[in-house]
Amino acid sequence: FELPDEGGQPSLAPLTQNFGPEAVTYPSAPQTFTWTNNSSFASQVSSATISGTNAGDFAVTSNNCGAVAGGASCQITVVFTPAALGARSGTLIVVSSGNQLTATLTGTGVPGFTLTPASLSFGSLDVGASATQPLTLTSNASGPLAVPVFVTTGEYSVNTAACGGTLAALASCTVNVIFLPTTTGPQ
């Protein structure tokens, strides 16, 4: 007698996931992958692992797949925590009852903060007078980050009071740069 496979091979969705930009060393929001048993018989998911050049940047954070009934699905979640700046990639590998399914994982490591504009010009200013110009500090992380320490040289100082001690996810604040010349000439 013959046993039909009753529906076929398992499937994994999505087959590709771009986590987008994420601050270096900061974990992204978890992304969910669904493994579906397309057979009428129960199947066993034996492992869900990450491989590839930047495998350490991706982690399986939960896996409720084990014995999966015929026609049922389960979820696997993956988090992206870039270790370096730039494009990062990996592969989610799900192994079950002699089948191996993969999903391509990509993301981009970005600095924790951006500061704009890239330069300030205070023009001519009398010795002893002061002028203030704003910079915008923006968090690139999906969670709160400690506001960095700012160091200036020359006759400049920085006021970060508007930022507080931490900056919320993807939030911005104003950093004021103060120029107070004590001598004449370019500074």
Side-chain angles (χ1 to χ4, degrees):
F1 86 100
E2 248 178 74
L3 287 176
D5 73 4
E6 298 287 331
Q9 302 298 314
S11 60
L12 183 65
L15 294 177
T16 183
Q17 179 65 54
N18 183 346
F19 286 78
E22 186 60 56
V24 171
T25 72
Y26 202 88
S28 72
Q31 298 298 317
T32 301
F33 294 81
T34 301
W35 184 89
T36 303
N37 180 0
N38 293 311
S39 168
S40 60
F41 301 104
S43 184
Q44 180 74 34
V45 173
S46 57
S47 68
T49 58
I50 306 292
S51 72
T53 306
N54 308 122
D57 290 10
F58 300 90
V60 174
T61 55
S62 73
N63 175 1
N64 71 359
C65 299
V68 181
S73 297
C74 61
Q75 281 73 44
I76 299 164
T77 58
V78 176
V79 168
F80 171 52
T81 308
L85 296 174
R88 315 298 284 170
S89 64
T91 303
L92 170 64
I93 301 170
V94 181
V95 177
S96 63
S97 304
N99 294 300
Q100 178 174 296
L101 298 172
T102 62
T104 301
L105 310 173
T106 57
T108 305
V110 296
F113 294 101
T114 54
L115 193 61
T116 55
S119 65
L120 298 174
S121 176
F122 288 87
S124 295
L125 196 61
D126 291 334
V127 171
S130 69
T132 301
Q133 290 192 25
L135 293 171
T136 301
L137 179 68
T138 303
S139 168
N140 295 321
S142 57
L145 287 177
V147 173
V149 174
F150 287 82
V151 177
T152 60
T153 59
E155 307 200 356
Y156 299 91
S157 62
V158 175
N159 181 338
T160 60
C163 296
T166 60
L167 196 55
L170 307 175
S172 296
C173 67
T174 300
V175 174
N176 288 310
V177 178
I178 302 107
F179 176 47
L180 178 60
T182 58
T183 59
T184 60
Q187 302 289 325

